[in-house]
Amino acid sequence: LTGVFIPTCENMWGVLIFLRFYFVVGQAGIMHALLCVLISFTAAFCTTSSMSAIVSSGGLVSKGGPYYMISRALGPSVGASVGIMYWLAITLLAVLETLGAVEALLMAAPSLNFPGCKQAFGSGFMILLVLSVWGGTSFVTKLGIFFVLIVFYTMASYYAGIATAPLTEAAMANPWVTGVSWETFKKN
């Protein structure tokens, strides 16, 4: 559970889904946004299928992770190019997630906004990331379980909000809150 499922879910439900998906839907519409999600999941499916084929055809899986498996099964030239891209992707993902955490913090507490706050909070979050990774993979795995529980709570709150949105007085007074509405769906 903690080896594959939780890290994969955390990558899927990161900043892009929580902080940017509404923007994609607003700019491209629901159908194009769902097409983007379908293409992304197709790419993820092809990737996991390829890794499964490597493992099931005699590839050695060790504590080195995906890079270790690919480089040992496909050779050093493919392993080096995949390793460089994997390192770049993980590095940029850490930056994206850190900036998303800063943005979420500033949305939740606007009083923390000051000139240079994004750089200051971003640097602080990156230091926390470095310290948590330095603590070892078991510590990161325990943190992953904690954060995935927060994600599940957030998703449950989201769907509960959709179900009850037009039922409250404040929601009925706000013209932007429609809940589940066919008219809103057609406009998007």
Side-chain angles (χ1 to χ4, degrees):
L1 185 67
T2 61
V4 175
F5 179 71
I6 289 177
T8 303
C9 291
E10 286 174 341
N11 282 330
M12 288 188 317
W13 298 324
V15 169
L16 292 176
I17 295 293
F18 278 108
L19 295 179
R20 295 287 175 247
F21 199 66
Y22 72 93
F23 181 79
V24 173
V25 170
Q27 295 296 315
I30 291 176
M31 297 310 289
H32 285 115
L34 292 177
L35 180 65
C36 290
V37 170
L38 177 68
I39 291 169
S40 299
F41 280 116
T42 303
F45 177 76
C46 289
T47 302
T48 55
S49 297
S50 299
M51 289 182 75
S52 296
I54 289 171
V55 171
S56 63
S57 64
L60 180 64
V61 179
S62 181
K63 291 186 176 184
Y67 166 70
Y68 183 85
M69 178 185 63
I70 291 168
S71 66
R72 297 308 181 267
L74 300 178
S77 59
V78 174
S81 60
V82 168
I84 290 170
M85 292 307 296
Y86 185 70
W87 168 81
L88 182 63
I90 294 297
T91 302
L92 293 178
L93 177 66
V95 171
L96 176 73
E97 298 288 341
T98 300
L99 291 176
V102 170
E103 188 174 323
L105 176 68
L106 293 176
M107 279 195 285
S111 62
L112 296 176
N113 201 352
F114 60 88
C117 66
K118 290 182 181 180
Q119 291 85 353
F121 289 130
S123 298
F125 285 154
M126 287 301 283
I127 290 169
L128 287 174
L129 278 175
V130 168
L131 291 175
S132 65
V133 170
W134 186 54
T137 55
S138 64
F139 180 69
V140 172
T141 303
K142 290 175 187 170
L143 280 178
I145 294 169
F146 171 72
F147 286 124
V148 83
L149 291 175
I150 292 174
V151 168
F152 284 148
Y153 172 75
T154 305
M155 290 175 71
S157 299
Y158 171 77
Y159 288 113
I162 285 178
T164 61
L167 302 178
T168 64
E169 294 269 339
M172 289 181 192
N174 188 343
W176 297 105
V177 177
T178 61
V180 179
S181 164
W182 181 249
E183 293 300 319
T184 305
F185 181 79
K186 288 192 304 188
K187 289 179 185 175
N188 283 333

